[in-house]
Every structure is written in C-alpha cells, then in structure tokens.
Amino acid sequence: MEFAQIAAIAGKEFWDRIRNRWVLAVALVFTAFALSIAYFGAAQQGAVGFRSIEVTIASLVSLVIYLIPLIALLLGFDAIVGERERGSLELLLSMPITRGELLLGKYLGLAAALAFSTVAGFGLVGLVLSAQLDLAALFHYVGFMASSVLLGCAFLSLAVMLSVFAADRTRASGLAIALWFFFVLVFDLLLLGALVLSGGQWGGELLPYALLLNPADVFRILNIFSLDDVRTLYGLSTVFPPALARPGLLGAVMAGWIVGPLALAAWRFRR
C-alpha cells in the first residue's frame, strides 16, 4: 500500500470540501449552536449567561448526538457509489492506485474535513470561554471535542461502508438516514422498552454491554461519566457501571466502530 497515493486522494477530498465552503458552513453551525447553548441554555430557568462547563457540555452532548452523526452520514454516503454513478470510478482505478488505497484515501480526506470543522467550530467557542474556565474545565472541554471527532469518524466509517455496498446513491442515502434514525432515536427506545415490558427482569445486567453496540451511547458515556454533576440528567447511561466507563476502554470501543465498518467496506470493495 502506497501512502503517497493515499495522501493524494485524501488531500483532494479535503480541499474539495474547503473549496465548496462545506467545512466553513459546518464550523459556523457548531460555533453558533455552542455559543447559544453556553450563554442561553438556562434561559428557561430565568438565567442568562455562562454558568458552568459541566452544564454546557451536558447540553452540547445532546446536540452533538443528533447533529454530528447526521452530518457524517450525509458527507460519506456517496463516497464510492457517487463515483460509480458518475462514471469516474473506472477512471480512478485505471490509474496506478489500488482499491484499498482509494477507499482509505477518500475516508481519511472526509474524516479530516469533518474533524477540522468540528475542532474549528467548538474550538472557537472554547477560546471565547477560556477566560472563564480553569485548567480542569478546559481539559473536560478538550476531551469533549476529541470524543466528538471520534463520533463523527465512527459514523463516517458507517457511511463509507454503505456507499460501498449500495447499488446507487438513492439507496445509499435512504440507508444512511435509516441508520441515523436507528442509532440516534430508536436504539435506546428498544432497550428501554425491553426493560419496561419485562419489569426490569430482562437484560438489566446485559444493558451496559448493549450500550456499547451504539457509538452514540459510547460518546454520551465518555462525556457524562467525567462530569459528576450531570450523570443524573441522563437515562440509560446512568446504569452504566463505573468499571466499564474508563476512557481508555470506551475510546477503544469507539476505535472499533471506526475500523470495523471500514474494514468490511474494504473487503467488499476489493471483490
């Protein structure tokens, strides 16, 4: 595998997003939402202004779980199938580049664009708030940004996998939206419904492990278990045992969500 070829494809994908203002638009969306939440998140309680980094991160986690997976899925769902429909895939593969290099280069370029927009958007808010934060609060905020990047990369990996398996862009886009609905809206409801219907007798001990099957839940747990004041604000994640809530373990699980779908996509794309 030639890393120069991968870097060339990744660079093209990244700069294409820069030129079409995609990165700027997403960064501005993140900045606007984060600033609004930081200063006006408690307006319904009659308080306006920045309160604490714990409350801000807790509110941003809820926003990110909805927004970043959707952006990542829309960004990557046509990475391969779009090239195939435009007829440019055969042209790319006629060049001295393997299918694996093309797939990895496209993923890394899209991931770099998504990571850059995420860090730029939330990082600008961190700079605005930095005068009001101590080192511990800044550490938590940087951890929140890093986990947001990991969440985006995990869903981007799923999107690229869909793009390889789908027959056309229409099916790929439909599957991407269905995947977003399942992981963001339906998954936790299914687990909660199983607990309620069984009166808590079924799945109680397995529930923490089931949460690891959803990258959105892993992201939520990564953030709220480092903030003692906000654990009680969440439902299913509060049943997660502290022994499993170690950042290193959860980071490894998130890395598995990145590598696994991408490896499956590479296997399918080479056939």
Side-chain angles (χ1 to χ4, degrees):
M1 185 171 286
E2 294 288 338
F3 291 101
Q5 303 281 29
I6 296 173
I9 295 294
K12 178 184 179 302
E13 291 293 328
F14 178 79
W15 288 110
D16 282 348
R17 299 307 180 280
I18 293 290
R19 281 191 292 269
N20 67 14
R21 306 292 193 274
W22 184 92
V23 170
L24 176 61
V26 173
L28 289 176
V29 168
F30 288 153
T31 300
F33 275 114
L35 279 176
S36 299
I37 287 173
Y39 283 99
F40 304 106
Q44 60 183 353
Q45 283 81 37
V48 176
F50 178 73
R51 296 175 60 189
S52 69
I53 195 62
E54 289 83 5
V55 174
T56 300
I57 289 179
S59 300
L60 286 175
V61 164
S62 298
L63 169 71
V64 165
I65 284 177
Y66 285 96
L67 196 57
I68 285 187
L70 181 61
I71 291 174
L73 288 167
L74 294 178
L75 177 64
F77 80 90
D78 67 341
I80 298 300
V81 71
E83 298 281 5
R84 186 185 298 127
E85 285 196 352
R86 290 189 293 269
S88 55
L89 181 60
E90 290 76 10
L91 177 61
L92 286 171
L93 293 176
S94 68
M95 299 178 181
I97 184 172
T98 67
R99 288 176 175 263
E101 291 167 351
L102 175 62
L103 183 70
L104 185 57
K106 277 186 164 291
Y107 174 79
L108 291 177
L110 295 173
L114 183 60
F116 183 82
S117 62
T118 302
V119 172
F122 289 132
L124 181 60
V125 176
L127 289 177
V128 173
L129 299 177
S130 59
Q132 306 176 59
L133 304 178
D134 56 22
L135 286 178
L138 283 174
F139 175 79
H140 285 309
Y141 192 76
V142 170
F144 160 74
M145 288 195 299
S147 60
S148 297
V149 171
L150 288 177
L151 178 67
C153 289
F155 275 91
L156 181 62
S157 182
L158 289 168
V160 171
M161 181 189 70
L162 291 179
S163 184
V164 170
F165 278 89
D168 52 60
R169 292 181 74 254
T170 301
R171 295 181 185 179
S173 62
L175 288 172
I177 297 300
L179 208 62
W180 181 83
F181 268 101
F182 175 75
F183 281 119
V184 175
L185 301 176
V186 177
F187 185 87
D188 285 353
L189 290 178
L190 291 176
L191 295 183
L192 184 60
L195 284 176
V196 171
L197 291 176
S198 64
Q201 299 299 314
W202 180 86
E205 295 182 357
L206 296 177
L207 184 62
Y209 299 93
L211 291 174
L212 298 179
L213 300 176
N214 185 348
D217 279 325
V218 177
F219 166 79
R220 181 186 291 116
I221 295 162
L222 262 173
N223 284 279
I224 68 170
F225 264 84
S226 63
L227 303 170
D228 295 334
D229 295 340
V230 298
R231 292 186 192 182
T232 57
L233 296 177
Y234 288 87
L236 286 174
S237 293
T238 59
V239 304
F240 206 84
L244 289 179
R246 291 174 293 175
L249 175 62
L250 295 175
V253 172
M254 192 68 85
W257 272 105
I258 296 172
V259 175
L262 199 60
L264 186 59
W267 170 79
R268 179 65 178 86
F269 192 46
R270 288 172 179 168
R271 296 186 63 185

